[in-house]
Amino acid sequence: MSAAAPVAVTGLGLVTAAGIGTEATWDGVCAGVSAATRNPALEGLPVDISCTVPGLDPARHVGRRSALMHDRFTQLAIVAAREAVADAGLDPAQWDGARVGVVVGCGLGGVSTWEEQHRRMLEHGPAKVSALLVPMLVPNMAAGNLAIDLGATGPNFVTATACSSGATAIGTAAQLLREGACDIVVTGGAEAGVSPLMVTGFAQMGALSRRLDEPAAASRPFDAGRDGFVIGEGSGILVLEREADARARGARVRSLLAGYGASADAHHLTAPEPEGRAVLAAVRAALEQAGTAPGDIGHVNAHGTSTRLNDAVEAATLRTALGDGAAVTSTKGVLGHTLGAAGAIEAALTVLAVERSLVPPTANLEQLDPAVELDVVAGGPRKTALDAALSTSFGFGGQNAALVFVAA
Amino acid sequence: MSPVYDKLVDLLVDRFAVDRAAIGPDVTFEELEMDSLFLVELLLVIESEFQVKIGEEAAAPTDTIATVVKVIANEIAAAAP
C-alpha cells in the first residue's frame, strides 16, 4: 500500500440539533437521546418532525446585517467556521488569506429563501421579490460568505454530492493541501433543509420516518423497527493543515485525516446498489490511502440514516470490508439526517471519538436488525482505544465518500 | 425632517440593520455600508411601503438619504389626486 501524507485536523466547529458548539453536540450524541421534536413550521404536512438547531439567534450569532442577507444554511456555516478557526488557534486578521482555501459541502442551498420568495411572487407579484433572493439561495454562498467572513482568498467552492457533500468537501480539501494549492483549508458542510417543501418532497419519496407521535424515537439507525430518517439541519466545519505545518506552529492536532475514498454506484436515483460494490470500493480506497488494514479500524461512524434500505446495505458492506471488529455508531439517531452537512458533522464527531477514545451510542437502538452483523454501540458511550476510525457517507445519486481518521 | 424621512429611517433601521445614530439627511448610503445590492432591495421595500413606483436608477450608493426622501416625496405628490 502507498499511503498518502496525513493531513492534520487542528480545528472543529459544530452547530447541530444537539446544540451550538462542538462540546454541546458531543455531549448530546454521547447522551444518546434524540433531538427530534415536533416542528410547528411543518404543521399540517405529512411529516411534521425534525431535528432543528435550538436557540440560534442569527442577529447575535452572525450579526444583524448578516442575519438579514444570509439564508440559514450560510448562517450555520459562519457560526461553525468561526468556532473551528478559533479552535485551531488561528486569527484571520493575521493569516495570509491567499493561502487559505474554503471548501464546503451543501446539497440544497437556501431552500427556505426560495420558498418564501416564491410565495411572495405568487401572492403579491414580482415587485415583492427580494433583490437578495439569488445571493441568499445559491448553494455556493456557504463557501463564498465564509471567504468574506474570514478573509480567505484561496481556492473556494462548494461540493454537491447530496448527503455525501460534507465528506466530499473534506476529502477534496485534503487533496488541495497535498498538492500545495493552499496551506490551510476551512472545510465541511452546511445545510438548512427543514423547509415545508423539502420535507414534503422527502416524505413523498417515503424516506422519512412516520413515527410522528413519538418524535424522539423516530430516528433509530440499525434498529429492527426503523422506518426512515428524521430531517435535520446543521453545520460541521474542520480546519485542515499539512501535518508538518501544524506541528511547526505548535498547533494542537486533534487527529489526522489519513484517507479518503470516493465512488459512484451508477445504479439508481435513490436506492443503494444492493451489493454495495461501489461503497466497498470507496471504503477500500480510503483505507489504502491511509495505509490502514481493515482490522485496524476500531470505530465506524456509519452513514446509518435509519431507512430500511440504507442501513441493511451499509451493514452488509461494512461487514465485508472490515469484519465485525469495529465499534459502529450512527449519530443520526440523535442529530437526524442533516443531508449535505451530515458527512462533515459526522467526520468531526469521528475526530472527537478518536481523540477521546470514546464511541458515542446509537440512539433508539432497542432491537438490532438481525441482518446487521456488526457491533453497533447502544445504551451509552463506549470507552475504547482507537488508533483509526472510518466515517462513511452516501448520497442520492449513488455518490459515496469514506474518510479515515487516525490518532495524532 | 418630514414624515417620509422618519419612515425611511425606520425602514433602514428595522429592515436593513442600520444603526439609527449613524443616519442623517446628508449621510450617503455608502457611508451606511449599503452597496448597490442593498439599494435595489431598499427601493423594492420603498415601493411597497410608500405605495409609489420608482426606478432602479432612483438612487446610487453615493446619494444621500435626503436625495431619496425627495424622490419619494415627488412620487407621492405626482400620484396625489
Side-chain angles (χ1 to χ4, degrees):
Chain A
M1 285 190 236
S2 54
V7 165
V9 180
T10 56
L12 296 178
L14 285 169
V15 184
T16 68
I20 298 167
T22 296
E23 293 306 324
T25 298
W26 178 251
D27 290 348
V29 297
C30 285
V33 177
S34 174
T37 54
R38 271 262 160 72
N39 183 340
L42 304 176
E43 198 181 325
L45 298 178
V47 170
D48 61 359
I49 60 176
S50 67
C51 287
T52 308
V53 176
L56 184 82
D57 175 359
R60 184 163 69 86
H61 286 100
V62 299
R64 282 188 68 202
R65 181 66 68 88
S66 291
L68 291 170
M69 61 189 298
H70 297 325
D71 185 270
R72 191 170 171 92
F73 82 104
T74 299
Q75 294 170 2
L76 297 173
I78 290 173
V79 174
R82 286 179 184 170
E83 184 192 7
V85 168
D87 182 52
L90 291 165
D91 178 2
Q94 304 293 325
W95 66 25
D96 175 6
R99 298 296 299 160
V100 181
V102 179
V103 186
V104 180
C106 179
L108 300 172
V111 286
S112 297
T113 296
W114 180 292
E115 285 184 46
E116 164 66 13
Q117 297 302 322
H118 188 237
R119 186 189 60 75
R120 280 198 207 180
M121 190 164 90
L122 295 181
E123 290 180 6
H124 305 290
K128 298 289 182 181
V129 174
S130 171
L132 296 169
L133 162 67
V134 175
M136 285 175 77
L137 84 84
V138 284
N140 66 303
M141 281 300 175
N145 281 306
L146 286 192
I148 295 170
D149 195 59
L150 301 171
T153 59
N156 186 298
F157 52 92
V158 149
T159 56
T161 52
C163 302
S164 293
S165 299
T168 305
I170 293 167
T172 306
Q175 291 171 347
L176 287 180
L177 288 169
R178 290 199 187 99
E179 73 187 29
C182 35
D183 298 330
I184 297 168
V185 192
V186 177
T187 182
E191 198 85 88
V194 186
S195 76
L197 186 62
M198 282 299 129
V199 171
T200 303
F202 282 112
Q204 294 292 79
M205 291 173 66
L208 301 183
S209 170
R210 299 292 176 129
R211 209 180 285 258
L212 306 179
D213 290 334
E214 35 179 2
S219 183
R220 40 197 321 111
F222 302 115
D223 187 82
R226 69 190 184 279
D227 71 334
F229 69 80
V230 175
I231 193 166
E233 62 173 8
S235 178
I237 300 290
L238 285 68
V239 175
L240 302 183
E241 305 169 62
R242 283 180 294 274
E243 185 184 5
D245 294 353
R247 304 271 185 212
R249 75 174 179 90
R252 174 181 56 162
V253 178
R254 305 196 72 152
S255 83
L256 297 169
L257 170 55
Y260 167 57
S263 69
D265 284 0
H267 171 71
H268 187 268
L269 279 178
T270 57
E273 190 268 304
E275 302 299 319
R277 281 179 288 239
V279 169
L280 198 58
V283 168
R284 285 179 172 158
L287 292 175
E288 185 173 340
Q289 189 177 70
T292 301
D296 295 339
I297 297 292
H299 163 51
V300 182
N301 187 310
H303 188 60
T305 54
S306 169
T307 60
R308 294 220 148 265
L309 269 180
N310 173 86
D311 294 8
V313 174
E314 182 176 20
T317 308
L318 288 176
R319 167 88 186 189
T320 304
L322 307 175
D324 61 357
V328 177
T329 195
S330 168
T331 41
K332 286 186 179 76
V334 172
L335 305 177
H337 190 356
T338 56
L339 312 175
I345 290 169
E346 290 155 20
L349 293 170
T350 309
V351 168
L352 291 167
V354 170
E355 182 188 61
R356 296 170 182 191
S357 298
L358 196 63
V359 177
T362 303
N364 294 319
L365 183 56
E366 291 169 354
Q367 190 191 344
L368 188 67
D369 181 341
V372 175
E373 298 175 298
L374 295 171
D375 177 13
V376 184
V377 178
R382 185 189 297 173
K383 190 84 188 158
T384 178
L386 290 176
D387 295 324
L390 173 73
S391 181
T392 47
S393 297
F394 317 125
F396 284 158
Q399 292 164 314
N400 312 305
L403 296 166
V404 172
F405 293 94
V406 301
Chain B
M1 223 189 128
S2 71
V4 170
Y5 175 81
D6 292 341
K7 189 168 173 180
L8 182 59
V9 170
D10 285 345
L11 285 178
L12 289 170
V13 172
D14 297 339
R15 303 280 280 272
F16 294 89
V18 176
D19 178 7
R20 190 179 290 273
I23 305 172
D26 299 327
V27 173
T28 67
F29 292 100
E30 219 164 35
E31 288 166 333
L32 298 175
E33 293 180 355
M34 291 189 68
D35 61 15
S36 57
L37 183 61
F38 267 95
L39 224 46
V40 174
E41 180 74 4
L42 174 65
L43 294 174
L44 289 173
V45 171
I46 286 172
E47 287 195 338
S48 162
E49 293 294 322
F50 288 93
Q51 298 293 313
V52 293
K53 289 296 287 178
I54 43 177
E56 267 186 35
E57 301 75 27
T62 49
D63 286 337
T64 63
I65 306 291
T67 310
V68 172
V69 169
K70 200 172 165 189
V71 170
I72 299 169
N74 286 344
E75 287 302 321
I76 291 173

